[in-house]
Amino acid sequence: MQAWKIILLFSAAFFGGTAVFLFKGDNHKTLKLVLSFSGAYLFGITVLHLIPDAYHENDSFVGVFILLGFLFQIVLEQFSDGIEHGHMHKPTGGHYVFPLGIIVSLCLHAFLEGMPLAQGYQNQLVFGIALHHIPAAFALGTVFLANKQSKNSTIFYIGLFAIMAPAGYFFSYALSSGGIGNLQHYFNRIMGVVIGIFLHISTTILFESSDGHKFNVRKMVAVLLGVGVALIGFVSEL
C-alpha cells in the first residue's frame, strides 16, 4: 500500500482527536455534519464496492462473517459507549475513571478495519476508514478530557488509536507474505467482518433522530453529499 494511504489513515485519526483541544463547548454542530457525511459515505461504499467485492470469489460464508461483524460491533459498543459513531458521554456524579474499555474496544475496531487493506482493496475503503475515524477520535479525546485525564495522556492514547488501522494492515500483510496457505478466503472473510461493522456504524448514524425528531436540512444535505461522493467514485470505475 502506498505511503500516502498510511499517512492519511494515521493523520485523520490523530488530528481529528487532537482537535478536541481547539474546540470548546458541548454543541459541535460541524462535527455532527461530518458524522452524517461520513455515515452516508460509509454506507455508500459498503453497498457499491465492498459487498460486491467480498462476494466476487463466490465464498458462501462471507454472509456469515458480515453478520458476525455486525453482531461484534454491537458487543464492542457495550464497552465503547458508541464512540465509533461519534457519541460523547460525560461521567456522571463527578466520578472520573480511565476509559480502559473504550480505548481497548476502539483500538480493536480500528485494527480489524485495517486488515483487509493488505489485499489491495480500493481507495474508497481507505477514505472511508479515515473519514469515520475523525469523529471517533474526536469523541475519544472528549471522553479522556471529561474524565480529567492529562493532556499528554490524551494525546498518547489518541496516537495509539491512530496507529491501529495501519498496524492492522501491516499485520495482515506480514501474514499474507509469509506463505501461510491460501489467504484469499481469509481476506474476504475479514472484509465481511469489516462490512458488518460498517453497516452497523453507518446505519446507526443515518437513522439516529434529530433533536425533537425535527427534519434537519443540513443533515440531509450532508447525507446526500456523502452518498453522492460514493456514487461518483463508483461510476468513475465503470
Side-chain angles (χ1 to χ4, degrees):
M1 186 165 62
Q2 298 99 320
W4 70 265
K5 295 180 181 179
I6 297 294
I7 294 171
L8 176 63
L9 288 172
F10 176 83
S11 299
F14 184 77
F15 292 113
T18 53
V20 73
F21 300 111
L22 304 177
F23 297 96
K24 305 298 180 182
D26 298 326
N27 189 18
H28 304 290
K29 293 183 179 180
T30 301
L31 181 67
K32 292 179 181 178
L33 292 178
V34 172
L35 195 60
S36 297
F37 177 87
S38 68
Y41 181 75
L42 275 181
F43 186 76
I45 65 170
T46 299
V47 172
L48 295 171
H49 294 279
L50 305 185
I51 292 177
D53 281 357
Y55 280 101
H56 182 68
E57 297 297 325
N58 297 318
D59 182 358
S60 58
F61 281 95
V62 168
V64 174
F65 283 86
I66 291 175
L67 286 175
L68 287 175
F70 193 92
L71 295 173
F72 182 64
Q73 181 59 34
I74 294 176
V75 173
L76 280 183
E77 289 190 6
Q78 305 310 305
F79 302 94
S80 67
D81 294 329
I83 200 171
E84 296 91 337
H85 39 82
H87 282 185
M88 294 170 276
H89 302 283
K90 288 190 173 183
T92 57
H95 182 60
Y96 305 114
V97 296
F98 179 80
L100 178 62
I102 289 177
I103 190 64
V104 170
S105 60
L106 201 60
C107 285
L108 179 58
H109 165 94
F111 187 85
L112 286 173
E113 287 180 335
M115 290 186 70
L117 296 174
Q119 183 66 2
Y121 280 97
Q122 60 270 53
N123 294 341
Q124 283 81 1
L125 179 57
V126 176
F127 291 134
I129 294 172
L131 189 60
H132 102 269
H133 279 184
I134 294 173
F138 188 91
L140 177 63
T142 300
V143 168
F144 266 79
L145 294 182
N147 281 282
K148 303 300 182 182
Q149 302 299 312
S150 69
K151 182 176 180 179
N152 288 339
S153 176
T154 301
I155 292 174
F156 173 80
Y157 285 103
I158 289 172
L160 180 64
F161 168 63
I163 67 173
M164 283 296 107
Y169 158 73
F170 284 118
F171 176 77
S172 189
Y173 181 78
L175 285 179
S176 63
S177 299
I180 307 176
N182 182 3
L183 292 181
Q184 184 64 43
H185 290 316
Y186 157 79
F187 281 114
N188 283 339
R189 293 175 183 185
I190 289 295
M191 190 70 249
V193 173
V194 173
I195 288 170
I197 290 172
F198 276 7
L199 284 175
H200 185 280
I201 291 173
S202 61
T203 53
T204 299
I205 293 171
L206 293 176
F207 295 139
E208 279 182 332
S209 299
S210 302
D211 295 336
H213 299 277
K214 294 180 181 178
F215 180 75
N216 189 324
V217 176
R218 295 195 301 169
K219 178 179 178 179
M220 180 58 66
V221 171
V223 168
L224 291 176
L225 285 174
V227 172
V229 172
L231 276 170
I232 291 171
F234 173 73
V235 171
S236 67
E237 294 182 354
L238 293 178

